[in-house]
Amino acid sequence: MKRIQLGNTVFEGANDVYLLDGEATALVDTGVALPDVREELVDGLAEYGRSFADIDAVVLTHWHPDHAGLAGEIQAEGGADVYVHEADAALVDGTETPLFADRDLQRETFERWGMPDADRERLTDFFAAVSTDLSGEPADVTTFEDGDAIEAGGVELEALHLPGHTAGLTGFAFDPRTVPDHDPVAGADATEEAFTGDALLPKYTPNVGGADVRVEGALAAYAESLARIVARDFDAAHPGHRWRIDEPSRRAATILDHHRHRTRRVIEVLADREAATAWEVSAALFGSLEDIHVLHGPGEAFSHLDHLADAGVVEPDGTAYRLVDPDPDVDALFPTTPLDDLVDGSDDA
């Protein structure tokens, strides 16, 4: 297994693409469909004697353009099968329009969050500036569900549905001993590692709420996904950005605890005012935001408010939320894990 790192000036940090080159050749994720990134991937594959035409399969962790953008072009050059979870398929095959290109969905979402007109305009201008080429060519996709086995690059991948960041985000568990040119992080004792896409990152916490506005109960779904990662106790995780995670269960527990801390902060914000919109809570949590974070900030705040509303801690008041239980048991709003006493996610995980 080879990691090819690609530049990414639009979203969160450098992207990781993984080359599996055994009896067949496969990629896990592809990078964004920008000319410079395309050339980086071409050059990265060439270092291992491979080109787009040599790729037999592309396995996507999720639909976001920085992970799926080049899938259609790779397929067009060599006929690769493109695999994606059924919940994200329509955004890869082009039959559904993503938020950044759907003005009606933008209007509905921004109104629900209470976003001021000037900030809506800033965000739509950002979308217009970056969205033309990001998603690349649509791909004909093969869908899968949680638990399905995918044969890619001579490696059997077990699909592990981890929704939250997107509706169909999926990790892929594998036995590292079956992977050509891969040294398991734990040596001969390692029996299970995973590709985790953006479900688990070594730096920052994956955005929930703004990254995919289609997800119902996004924070609750993501919390369960993190608990699932903890329970699997992988020897290592290979994320969609930056570097390998050598203690993925601990990292997942830390992010889960981070969301407990953030929930408490949201409650504190609401305790200081009669009611607040997701935009106003976002401003209290994160301050002034730029570029894609104008989407991610209020989206994250909304996911927490929505989670608290489902628990009866807050109630909607138009587009705002009013605190009705000032002292809830926040821990009870999240799944517990065996590592909870060992981590302190804080609000800056």
Side-chain angles (χ1 to χ4, degrees):
M1 179 177 72
K2 304 297 183 184
R3 182 183 69 172
I4 301 172
Q5 279 209 310
L6 306 175
N8 180 353
T9 60
V10 179
F11 301 111
E12 194 276 326
N15 275 86
D16 292 330
V17 171
Y18 299 95
L19 173 65
L20 302 174
D21 200 9
E23 297 174 2
T25 301
L27 291 179
V28 177
D29 286 347
T30 70
V32 70
L34 292 175
D36 290 348
V37 176
R38 181 192 186 281
E39 289 307 308
E40 288 180 1
L41 182 55
V42 168
D43 292 345
L45 289 171
E47 289 185 17
Y48 304 110
R50 293 289 180 258
S51 68
F52 282 9
D54 297 318
I55 305 302
D56 300 300
V58 174
V59 183
L60 299 174
T61 60
H62 59 298
W63 69 265
H64 283 160
D66 55 330
H67 296 262
L70 289 167
E73 187 173 345
I74 292 170
Q75 185 179 66
E77 290 206 23
D81 294 319
V82 175
Y83 296 91
V84 65
H85 189 277
E86 58 185 2
D88 279 4
L91 288 160
V92 178
D93 69 17
T95 57
E96 186 175 340
T97 303
L99 174 72
F100 57 75
D102 187 333
R103 287 301 183 96
D104 290 336
L105 183 57
Q106 290 173 23
R107 188 178 308 109
E108 175 189 331
T109 300
F110 302 159
E111 286 177 359
R112 183 166 64 246
W113 293 349
M115 185 182 292
D117 290 343
D119 296 290
R120 295 188 198 189
E121 186 174 347
R122 281 199 300 138
L123 188 53
T124 54
D125 287 348
F126 172 77
F127 287 152
V130 304
S131 66
T132 304
D133 301 315
L134 295 184
S135 294
E137 297 296 322
D140 293 328
V141 302
T142 300
T143 62
F144 57 79
E145 300 177 4
D146 181 59
D148 284 352
I150 301 168
E151 191 75 19
V155 180
E156 184 174 292
L157 303 176
E158 177 199 347
L160 189 70
H161 188 207
L162 301 170
H165 183 67
T166 76
L169 197 151
T170 301
F172 301 99
F174 62 92
D175 184 339
R177 299 168 298 183
T178 68
V179 180
D181 301 318
H182 176 54
D183 294 323
V185 66
D189 294 334
T191 59
E192 191 171 52
E193 298 181 12
F195 300 109
T196 56
D198 286 1
L200 196 69
L201 298 176
K203 185 177 182 181
Y204 304 126
T205 55
N207 182 258
V208 181
D212 189 346
V213 299
R214 304 173 306 146
V215 185
E216 295 288 337
L219 181 57
Y222 185 48
E224 291 295 341
S225 294
L226 290 168
R228 191 177 191 191
I229 293 172
V230 174
R232 287 294 289 256
D233 196 23
F234 295 111
D235 295 297
H238 306 274
H241 299 270
R242 294 189 168 89
W243 52 85
R244 186 185 68 199
I245 302 170
D246 291 342
E247 294 184 278
S249 289
R250 190 180 187 93
R251 178 60 183 157
T254 297
I255 296 174
L256 186 57
D257 196 49
H258 153 86
H259 282 292
R260 294 189 189 98
H261 281 264
R262 180 152 290 171
T263 295
R264 293 186 178 96
R265 285 282 295 115
V266 170
I267 292 169
E268 290 172 1
V269 170
L270 292 176
D272 289 338
R273 58 195 75 194
E274 184 176 340
T277 64
W279 178 260
E280 291 166 338
V281 171
S282 171
L285 294 176
F286 310 120
S288 179
L289 299 170
E290 300 293 334
D291 299 332
I292 193 64
H293 301 292
V294 180
L295 173 71
H296 286 171
E300 182 94 15
F302 176 79
S303 74
H304 280 266
L305 290 166
D306 184 55
H307 191 52
L308 288 168
D310 285 344
V313 177
V314 305
E315 62 180 13
D317 182 7
T319 60
Y321 292 81
R322 185 187 310 277
L323 185 63
V324 295
D325 181 359
D327 190 27
D329 182 356
V330 171
D331 290 341
L333 303 181
F334 293 88
T336 59
T337 81
L339 301 183
D340 289 346
D341 292 336
L342 303 178
V343 300
D344 179 10
S346 75
D347 203 32
D348 300 306

